[in-house]
Amino acid sequence: MSFQAQQYHEIVYHTSTVLENDNLIHGFSTRLGGVSGGHFASLNLRGSGPEPDKRENVLENYRRFCEALGTDVHDLVQSKQIHEDTVRHVTAADRGKGLFVTTDFTADALVTNERGLNLMVFSADCIILLLHDPVSRCIGAVHAGWRGTALDLPAKAVGEMGRLFGAKPENIRVAIGAGIGPCCFETHDDVPDAMRTAFGGGVEEYIRPRGAKWTVDLKEINAWRLREAGVECIDVCTTCTACHTDLYWSHRVTGDKRGVQGALIGLKPEADQ
C-alpha cells in the first residue's frame, strides 16, 4: 500500500494503490498546476472566503483537475462542510451541486453507489478520506477535522455504506490523504479531552504531551477507529500539510489567506468500462 505522485501537464496529484480499480477514478489534489495567483496559487478549489478567488479561476482549476483524472467537471457533487457527523446519501439529483448548482445540504461525508457521480471533499489541514467497496460497488468521501474525528465520522460513513448498499467493512478499502500531522497539530486540552470522552483509554496511544500542550495524531486515530469498525485495508499518507506548504495549503500556517486542496472519488459510467 502506498500513495503515488501523478502528473498530468502541470497538475500534480496523488493516488493510493488501495483504490486502484478499473471501475473507479480517484485523486488527492495538491496546490500545483492551476491558474490562481497570490495566496491562492495555484490549483485552488475554493471559491468562497473573506477574499474569494476569482470564479473563472476556480472553475478552470476544477476543469484541469477533472481532466487529469479523466472525468467530467459537471459530474461533481460537493457539500457544505460544517465539522459535524452527517453522512449524505448522494444521488443523481445532486449532480453539479457545489459548483454549478447551489448546495442545499450540509454534510462532512458523502456516499453513493451511482455511477457517473464524483464525490468531493476539501481540506487545508483536516483529514480527508476516500472509501471504496469493490464488492457492493459503492464509494464514500469524508472530511474529518478534529471534531469529525471525535465524532467518529469515517467509521459512521462505513456504517452507512453497509446500511444503504450492503457493504461489509472487511471489503471496504480506505485511503487517508495528506493532512496535518502530530508534528504540527499542537493543541490545548480541548482536543485530547474530546478524544478521550469519545473513545476512552484506547486513544492515548495517539496523544502525546508537549510542554503545557498536546500533540494529536488525527490520521492514526481515524485509521484505528476504522480498524475497530472492521476495515482491514487502510492506506495512510504520512505527509503533513503544515510541513509541506509547497504542495498543500495549511490553515495552521497561513490562517484564512489560502486556498484548499480536495479529494475526489467516482464510479466510472458503464460506457467507460
Side-chain angles (χ1 to χ4, degrees):
M1 297 186 292
S2 66
F3 274 75
Q4 299 178 336
Q6 312 288 348
Q7 185 158 358
Y8 178 84
H9 299 309
E10 295 85 9
I11 298 288
V12 177
Y13 65 99
H14 291 90
T15 58
S16 168
T17 55
V18 306
L19 297 179
E20 290 179 351
N21 187 291
D22 290 342
N23 297 313
L24 194 69
I25 59 168
H26 82 281
F28 295 82
S29 74
T30 68
R31 63 183 297 172
L32 304 181
V35 298
S36 298
H39 54 259
F40 294 119
S42 65
L43 192 73
N44 170 43
L45 301 177
R46 181 174 75 160
S48 60
E51 300 176 8
D53 195 0
K54 295 178 181 179
R55 177 167 172 77
E56 60 266 29
N57 288 347
V58 175
L59 290 176
E60 175 61 13
N61 292 339
Y62 274 104
R63 188 198 67 77
R64 290 186 177 200
F65 183 53
C66 288
E67 181 180 297
L69 270 59
T71 191
D72 191 332
V73 68
H74 294 88
D75 292 334
L76 288 175
V77 181
Q78 305 167 8
S79 174
K80 296 177 183 177
Q81 298 176 175
I82 56 172
H83 299 278
E84 293 185 354
D85 65 347
T86 300
V87 181
R88 169 80 175 192
H89 178 192
V90 171
T91 69
D94 297 312
R95 178 178 275 106
K97 288 183 178 178
L99 199 59
F100 301 105
V101 180
T102 300
T103 303
D104 55 359
F105 61 89
T106 60
D108 286 81
L110 307 173
V111 296
T112 193
N113 66 346
E114 295 194 29
R115 297 186 179 279
L117 289 178
N118 299 323
L119 310 181
M120 195 159 191
V121 290
F122 308 93
S123 168
D125 276 337
C126 292
I127 310 308
I128 45 180
L129 308 89
L130 298 178
L131 304 84
H132 177 226
D133 176 11
V135 179
S136 64
R137 294 188 177 183
C138 60
I139 54 175
V142 181
H143 160 263
W146 73 261
R147 291 177 179 86
T149 298
L151 290 167
D152 215 15
L153 181 56
K156 289 178 180 176
V158 167
E160 281 297 277
M161 290 168 73
R163 185 183 71 84
L164 292 167
F165 314 124
K168 296 180 179 179
E170 61 267 27
N171 294 330
I172 294 175
R173 307 169 72 82
V174 180
I176 301 177
I180 195 165
C183 48
C184 295
F185 190 45
E186 185 177 271
T187 80
H188 294 287
D189 292 341
D190 54 341
V191 177
D193 285 352
M195 301 300 166
R196 291 167 178 140
T197 298
F199 306 128
V203 79
E204 294 295 341
E205 180 179 350
Y206 311 105
I207 300 171
R208 294 286 184 270
R210 181 181 288 173
K213 296 183 179 181
W214 305 86
T215 65
V216 181
D217 193 336
L218 296 177
K219 289 183 220 177
E220 288 301 331
I221 291 174
N222 281 301
W224 164 58
R225 294 302 303 164
L226 286 165
R227 290 191 297 269
E228 291 291 299
V231 178
E232 299 172 358
C233 187
I234 304 170
D235 192 8
V236 180
C237 178
T238 59
T239 303
C240 171
T241 47
C243 287
H244 294 276
T245 53
D246 56 328
L247 277 178
Y248 301 101
W249 283 282
S250 168
H251 187 80
R252 177 63 62 111
V253 175
T254 62
D256 209 43
K257 291 187 178 295
R258 58 170 174 78
V260 299
Q261 48 269 347
L264 179 154
I265 190 167
L267 294 167
K268 291 181 180 179
E270 293 285 354
D272 292 347
Q273 298 176 49

